[in-house]
Amino acid sequence: MKFQALLFLLPATLLAQAPKGIWDAAVTSEGQPVAFRLEFAGSAPLRGAILDGEKRIWSSSGTFANGSLELKWDYFDSVLKASMENGVLKGSYVRRKRVGPVTLPFTAKPFQSPAPSTAKPAQFAGLWRLETEAKQGVRVMDGRFRQSGDQVTGTIQRIDGDFGTLSGQVDGNHLILTHFDGIRATRVEFEMQADGTLRGATTGGPKFRGVRAEKASQMGIPEPPDPTRYIAVKNPAEPLAFRFDDLDGKPVSLADAQFQGKAVIVTITGSWCPNCHDEAPFLLDLYRKYHAKGLEIISLGFEYTGEIERDRGQLRAFARLLHIPWTVLLAGTTEDGEVQRKLPQLASFGAFPTTLFLGRDHRVEAVHAGFAGPANPEEHRKLKEETESLVQKLLK
């Protein structure tokens, strides 16, 4: 009895157990909650994974002591800190961005199956053409959604890549889809109209209208930009040339002996870019399959801070996480116009990643803007097939 009384007097934080299993979590962005799921495993060390569809984005380190949680994702330059209060985690997620550290309030509680909607759900499944009210930039995107009862998953494909796996629940004609991957916190609201069209908005972004893809042309909505024509080089007859330092500070050029007579994939990337994280495993498959036949890959990293050692550290973490065996160079920062200043042979630029395909003479044979990742399985499969065919052609 004395022992039980002593336990009763201890602070609740000292009695808190390390979180385990799946938790319902949310960060607050632009004043709105962005729901996602978080998985915990182990205890010493503790690991946490952000669930992005079927993908788990595991922390690089983690601890839980005296009711306090800390998870770090070194390759995102981010940290989650929270305290356990009555079985609920409350704290913040902080990530370094171009403007400096950005803090998002965070909460989480053990997973519970969502209660079914009381209203008959509208049907959002299928391929939609979405046109935003943006005054500049790309205005047209595709949305592809799957639905089971009132549960919806899917993604929106923009020129620079997909939004990751969006998920949510239909309530009558209203649908909220959210996605968090450690980099992006996205919340999209849709309202099904009486005529079967959509109206909606992304938090912090422009409003949009949507129609089913097969009706888009008659409704006056054009197709999205072609990612193979969105970015070009000024003179396709001129071999691509650049010279940047690798992660040890050694200058590397396409004129170096290791690249002579080789077909080369040059990807313009960044450790902060979620679609670049999706592209790397696919490039790794190509490298393993075709490197011995004459394929080289070079990643040109453009990072946030302009602090050389910090940015190199981020690219090292990126390469380590994704098991990148090819050459990674620190090419510049994410400042507007930087990519074209560092790569003046480009006629334009507007998407991370952008992938350039060079023949053995190092002339640019093709350019692809953005990347359709696993969240968009139909386009992802098509892109993989087209890219492998292109690589085979370059190697002939």
Side-chain angles (χ1 to χ4, degrees), residues 237-261:
E238 180 184 15
L240 188 69
F242 55 75
R243 184 180 180 88
F244 302 114
D245 287 352
D246 67 14
L247 302 186
D248 294 319
K250 176 185 174 182
V252 174
S253 166
L254 271 174
D256 294 346
Q258 71 182 98
F259 304 115
Q260 290 302 298

Side-chain angles (χ1 to χ4, degrees), residues 141-269:
M141 309 172 289
D142 276 343
R144 192 184 295 273
F145 309 114
R146 298 170 292 279
Q147 184 168 346
S148 177
D150 61 1
Q151 300 297 306
V152 176
T153 61
T155 195
I156 294 172
Q157 185 73 42
R158 199 168 56 184
I159 188 64
D160 55 349
D162 61 80
F163 278 36
T165 301
L166 298 162
S167 60
Q169 185 176 28
V170 182
D171 184 8
N173 292 327
H174 190 64
L175 171 65
I176 297 176
L177 296 178
T178 60
H179 169 81
F180 181 66
D181 55 22
I183 299 176
R184 299 168 294 189
T186 305
R187 178 185 169 103
V188 190
E189 296 197 38
F190 302 86
E191 192 73 33
M192 183 75 74
Q193 306 299 298
D195 61 0
T197 64
L198 297 178
R199 294 287 175 178
T202 302
T203 301
K207 295 180 180 179
F208 60 81
R209 66 167 176 154
V211 301
R212 295 202 177 269
E214 64 271 17
K215 298 181 179 179
S217 60
Q218 67 188 62
M219 297 287 288
I221 300 180
E223 292 188 3
D226 183 344
T228 66
R229 298 177 180 274
Y230 189 66
I231 295 172
V233 291
K234 295 174 181 176
N235 182 4
E238 180 184 15
L240 188 69
F242 55 75
R243 184 180 180 88
F244 302 114
D245 287 352
D246 67 14
L247 302 186
D248 294 319
K250 176 185 174 182
V252 174
S253 166
L254 271 174
D256 294 346
Q258 71 182 98
F259 304 115
Q260 290 302 298
K262 303 289 184 67
V264 184
I265 296 175
V266 177
T267 177
I268 301 172
T269 188

Side-chain angles (χ1 to χ4, degrees), residues 28 39 47 70 98 160 181 201 223-224 256 264 274 387 392:
T28 300
E39 181 176 0
R47 300 177 71 209
E70 180 173 294
R98 180 172 150 190
D160 55 349
D181 55 22
E223 292 188 3
D256 294 346
V264 184
T387 303
Q392 291 171 350

